[in-house]
């Protein structure tokens, strides 16, 4: 009897296992397919995940009750660590040139200003103790890496490098600060610190110091390990992600900021020459998606939507203060020394996307047993919803409206970095020739390809052609080219017809003529009868002049108007301007359309 | 506003000339302009045009170039147009060799007019259908007619 009863209950458990797998699989498939719809209607994908989670939850048709905050915290932290690591892997050290210093100020001082302003106003409006107000501010204080990374690259948007780099590095590095402040305010509320001053400072130094040290060291060790240990290729990405989790755990156990450490480790690994780099990046791209889906589905499940309505008035006030007052103020103050153009400041001020981190931080007071913690959690959740809807939906249109996007660098359909030993620079890129391609009906050997670039394969109707160099290119051909990444824009020009908004077409954006960066200003002014104000010395060149105007932080797309001409930075090599577009402003006598 | 018809004449329009280099192309254009204005020696025009090229190619892309310069001595804006038999290398940003060349020379005191004419010419040559007509034209007369009709 007993035996059969155990068997019967075991059968039910097996059934349950299968049902969970089925439900989980359906949930993931639904979320992944939702990305198609979301890109059609322009809704931020993360919002869609969150809503699917809420629909599956206790008050939706799904009916799943999930309110284990401890588990949620574990999964959320894990997912965030993976997302930050992937963010680090994608961050190019080259983008530090224009983005690092502003981003670091935004990630530290900026967070403090955001938290303080939001906290003070929240405390005043709701008549709360100052510390509670500040805690609410800290919970919603950081921008979200996942949301920013995703939205800045969605919809084919290519932002000026200075803005993109600043926003991305900021979003990767400001979570530790917000987490630190949240934990600190909770400890103060629970009376674990005597004063706000010294204890907090020490704690801050410890968190960031350990995070920085272990993160950087861990990144180097991980890169070295990947290069030294012989493994089957499939294991390298796993080694990378497990290494990242070790770095995270080690730092956190030692009392440092694991999130900072894992982001830094990602940056180090992503910028060192490691074997299987392509494989590792691809894998982490998928892992980051998985982490985002898991995290947002889970957070959607966790919330009880009806409780959100109870906090709606408070949450609207907090969101309003955060989006319209605190964030713009923080950006204005933080970017003061960098003198970003006003439009760029306005955009960075608007794109203070909140995502999973505030919701995750909203769990902290619950776990710590702070009074009224559930209210803060619901407020944080509501604020994130508003931010995702309002800001997430408008990132691309606002960028285009403020004219901060630049022509896309490349329209390659397929890129494959070749992990050739000793030849890491080369990439294989594929193009599918469309009916408007400028290369149609040209002989392959007579294509004007950029230097160190070669057509290596031509596939027509599924078959690989022999002797491709004498072939005439036709519509629907797949052309594979071996090239350097820097040559991609030139290669595009040969093989792909320009598309996109008219404003971004090469001529409209960069102007009629192309000048060399090393053109002497004197020669320029004598060619066009131009008077150039505040020229520094007689033999100053155009690139020196522009670098000086933009405080050495010039990026492609920056423009200066002189008399009736505009000079638009067209190409850069590191910190050197190599090409400048010359755009003529039409006088009132000029005709506009034909 | 100056019209294209005020800039060129049939004698300063040439079809299918045989040149093989950027330098030769610019010389040809300079000679066409010099032939109709004794105040402008071909050598001086050529020097001015080549000096401008040193700042960056005046190739507009898609096989068109628009060399230009300001000069002492002439009273009005003057231009010449040639279509080369074979496209010549012009260091254009898109790497395409050039077969349509329009040279513009304006008096020293033309500053804004200079730019406005250039903008107008660039607009004309950005018209792909128009360039196709120029490339298919049978002779210099047709080229001249096409150019002057563009903004008539």
């Amino acid at each position: 009897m007993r035996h059969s009863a155990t068997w019967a209950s075991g059968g039910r458990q097996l059934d349950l296992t299968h049902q969970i797998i089925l439900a989980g699989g359906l949930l993931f498939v639904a979320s992944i397919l939702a990305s198609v719809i979301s890109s059609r209607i322009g809704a931020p994908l993360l919002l869609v995940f969150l809503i699917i989670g809420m629909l599956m939850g206790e008050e939706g048709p799904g009916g799943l009750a999930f309110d284990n905050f401890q588990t949620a915290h574990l999964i959320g932290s894990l997912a965030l660590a993976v997302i930050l690591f992937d963010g680090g892997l994608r961050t190019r050290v080259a983008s530090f040139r224009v983005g690092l210093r502003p981003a670091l100020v935004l990630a530290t001082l900026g967070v403090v200003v955001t938290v303080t302003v939001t906290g003070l106003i929240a405390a005043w409006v709701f008549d709360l103790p100052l510390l509670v107000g500040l805690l609410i501010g800290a919970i919603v204080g950081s921008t979200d890496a996942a949301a920013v990374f995703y939205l800045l690259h969605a919809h084919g948007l290519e932002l000026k490098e200075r803005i993109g780099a600043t926003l991305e590095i900021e979003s990767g590095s400001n979570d530790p600060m917000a987490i630190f402040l949240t934990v600190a305010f909770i400890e103060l509320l629970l009376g674990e610190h005597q004063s706000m001053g010294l204890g907090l400072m020490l704690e801050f130094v410890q968190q960031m110091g350990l995070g920085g040290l272990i993160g950087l060291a861990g990144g180097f060790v991980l890169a070295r390990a990947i290069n030294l240990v012989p493994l089957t290729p499939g294991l390298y990405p796993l080694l990378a992600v497990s290494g990242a989790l070790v770095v995270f755990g080690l730092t956190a156990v030692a009392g440092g900021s694991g999130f900072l450490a894992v982001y830094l480790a990602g940056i180090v690994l992503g910028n060192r020459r490691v074997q299987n780099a392509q494989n590792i990046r691809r894998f982490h791209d998928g892992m980051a998606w998985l982490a985002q889906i898991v995290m947002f589905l889970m957070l959607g499940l966790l919330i009880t939507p009806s409780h959100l309505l109870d906090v709606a008035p408070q949450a609207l006030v907090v969101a309003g203060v955060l989006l319209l007052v605190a964030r713009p103020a923080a950006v204005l103050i933080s970017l003061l020394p960098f003198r970003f153009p006003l439009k760029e400041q306005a955009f960075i001020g608007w794109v203070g996307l909140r995502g999973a981190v505030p919701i995750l931080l909203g769990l902290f007071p619950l776990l710590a047993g702070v009074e009224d913690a559930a209210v803060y959690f619901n407020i944080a959740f509501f604020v994130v919803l508003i931010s995702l809807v309002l800001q997430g939906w408008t990132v691309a249109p606002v960028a285009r409206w403020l004219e901060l996007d630049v022509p896309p660098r490349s329209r390659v359909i397929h890129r494959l970095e070749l992990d050739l030993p000793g030849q890491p620079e080369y990439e294989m890129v594929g193009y599918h020739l469309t009916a408007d391609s400028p290369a149609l009906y040209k002989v392959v050997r007579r294509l004007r390809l950029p230097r160190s670039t070669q057509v290596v394969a031509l596939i027509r109707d599924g078959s690989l052609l022999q002797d491709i160099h004498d072939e005439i290119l036709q519509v629907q051909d797949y052309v594979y080219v071996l090239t350097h990444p820097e040559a991609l824009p030139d290669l595009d020009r040969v093989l792909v017809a320009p598309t996109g908004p008219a404003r971004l077409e090469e001529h409209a954006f960069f102007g009629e003529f192309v000048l060399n960066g090393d053109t002497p200003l004197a020669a320029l002014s004598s060619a066009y009868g131009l008077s150039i104000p505040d020229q520094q010395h007689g033999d100053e060149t155009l690139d020196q002049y522009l670098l000086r105007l933009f405080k050495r932080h010039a990026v492609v797309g920056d423009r200066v108007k002189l008399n009736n001409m505009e000079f638009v930075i067209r190409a850069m090599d590191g910190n050197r301007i190599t090409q400048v577009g010359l755009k003529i402003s039409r006088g009132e006598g000029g005709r506009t359309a034909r | 506003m100056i019209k294209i018809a005020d800039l060129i004449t049939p004698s300063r329009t040439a079809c299918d000339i045989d040149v093989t280099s950027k330098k030769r192309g610019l010389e040809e254009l300079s000679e066409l302009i010099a032939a109709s204005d004794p105040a402008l020696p071909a050598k001086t025009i050529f020097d001015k045009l080549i000096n401008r090229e040193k700042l960056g190619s005046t190739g507009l892309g898609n096989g068109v170039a628009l060399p230009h310069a300001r000069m002492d001595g002439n009273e009005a804006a003057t231009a010449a147009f040639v279509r080369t038999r074979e496209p010549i290398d012009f260091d254009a940003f898109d790497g395409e060799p050039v077969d349509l060349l329009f040279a513009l020379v304006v008096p020293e005191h033309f500053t804004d007019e200079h730019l406005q004419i250039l903008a107008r010419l660039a607009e004309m040559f950005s018209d792909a259908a128009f360039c196709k007509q120029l490339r298919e034209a049978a002779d210099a007369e047709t080229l001249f007619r096409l150019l002057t009709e563009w903004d008539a």
Side-chain angles (χ1 to χ4, degrees), chain A residues 269-355:
Chain A
L269 187 63
N271 285 285
R272 293 194 65 85
R273 212 167 262 181
V274 291
Q275 55 177 343
N276 262 283
Q278 170 88 351
N279 203 354
I280 292 174
R281 261 203 290 282
R282 283 257 173 94
F283 174 83
H284 279 88
D285 193 37
M287 282 301 286
W289 275 113
L290 181 69
Q292 287 177 41
I293 295 177
V294 167
M295 173 140 75
F296 280 84
L297 281 180
M298 182 198 70
L299 294 173
L301 276 176
L302 193 61
I303 198 77
T304 310
S306 59
H307 294 173
L308 285 180
L309 289 179
D310 301 339
V311 298
Q314 292 99 307
L316 280 173
V317 171
V318 174
V321 169
L322 178 68
L323 304 194
L324 303 175
V325 184
R327 167 77 182 174
V331 169
L332 194 71
I333 294 172
S334 306
L335 295 185
L336 218 49
F338 306 105
R339 302 203 218 164
F340 275 37
L342 207 59
K343 273 184 183 180
E344 300 184 7
Q345 292 193 29
F347 182 73
I348 294 173
W350 180 241
V351 189
L353 281 158
R354 313 291 134 162

Side-chain angles (χ1 to χ4, degrees), chain A residues 442 448 493 506-507 512-516 519 523 526-529 564-565 570 584-587 591 594, chain B residues 52 54-58 60 68 70 93-97 111-112 114-116 118-120 122-123 150-151:
Chain A
K442 289 188 179 163
R448 297 265 158 177
R493 219 174 271 124
E506 259 180 337
H507 273 148
E512 290 82 359
F513 297 104
V514 186
L515 299 168
N516 304 327
T519 294
S526 93
Y528 293 103
N564 268 338
M565 295 173 134
R570 183 171 177 134
I584 299 167
S585 320
R586 308 297 161 105
R591 60 199 256 163
R594 188 182 120 93
Chain B
R52 168 61 188 79
K54 283 179 191 152
L55 313 184
S57 171
T58 55
L60 298 175
H68 54 272
R70 293 190 308 147
F93 71 91
D94 61 353
E96 283 287 318
T111 48
D112 192 43
H114 183 199
L115 295 180
Q116 294 311 323
L118 284 174
R120 188 89 157 285
E123 186 189 338
W150 186 78
D151 64 351

Side-chain angles (χ1 to χ4, degrees), chain B:
Chain B
M1 189 71 200
I2 293 174
K3 288 193 148 93
I4 309 286
D6 303 329
L7 297 172
I8 57 166
T9 61
S11 70
R12 293 199 296 265
T13 309
C15 188
D16 290 338
I17 58 164
D18 282 302
V19 290
T20 50
S21 68
K22 180 171 181 172
K23 177 167 171 290
R24 281 291 304 131
L26 293 178
E27 276 173 0
E28 200 72 40
L29 288 161
S30 307
E31 279 154 24
L32 285 178
I33 295 175
S36 65
D37 191 341
L40 298 173
K43 179 79 179 78
T44 323
I45 300 174
F46 174 77
D47 287 343
K48 284 276 187 184
L49 292 180
I50 203 89
N51 274 334
R52 168 61 188 79
E53 294 299 322
K54 283 179 191 152
L55 313 184
S57 171
T58 55
L60 298 175
N62 300 318
V64 181
L66 194 45
H68 54 272
R70 293 190 308 147
M71 308 257 317
D72 271 342
N74 59 336
E75 292 301 310
T78 313
F81 177 80
V82 301
R83 188 180 81 192
T84 62
R85 189 181 302 281
E86 289 296 324
I88 55 178
D89 202 352
F90 214 83
D91 308 319
F93 71 91
D94 61 353
E96 283 287 318
V98 161
D99 61 348
L100 303 176
L101 294 96
F102 193 109
L104 174 71
V105 173
V106 300
E108 197 79 45
H109 65 269
F110 273 38
T111 48
D112 192 43
E113 294 95 323
H114 183 199
L115 295 180
Q116 294 311 323
I117 300 170
L118 284 174
R120 188 89 157 285
L121 292 169
E123 186 189 338
M124 175 169 81
F125 285 112
S126 68
D127 181 343
F130 177 72
C131 290
K132 188 158 179 277
Q133 287 181 330
L134 289 176
R135 292 195 168 101
E136 285 164 357
D139 47 33
E141 279 147 56
T142 322
L143 287 175
F144 178 73
R145 189 174 50 77
L146 284 168
L147 289 167
T148 49
E149 277 173 1
W150 186 78
D151 64 351

Side-chain angles (χ1 to χ4, degrees), chain A residues 94-107:
Chain A
S95 72
F96 283 4
R97 178 180 71 85
V98 287
L100 183 65
R101 284 185 298 160
L104 285 185
V105 179
L106 278 171

Side-chain angles (χ1 to χ4, degrees), chain A residues 108-159:
Chain A
T108 48
L109 178 68
V111 174
V112 171
V113 174
T114 308
V115 169
T116 313
V117 172
T118 314
L120 286 178
I121 298 183
W124 178 63
V125 171
F126 304 126
D127 203 15
L128 290 169
L130 182 60
L131 259 180
V132 175
L134 288 175
L135 175 60
I136 295 177
I139 289 173
V140 297
S142 81
T143 62
D144 186 69
V148 169
F149 283 125
Y150 170 72
L151 282 165
L152 290 189
H153 298 285
H155 315 299
L157 184 67
E158 181 126 348
L159 285 175

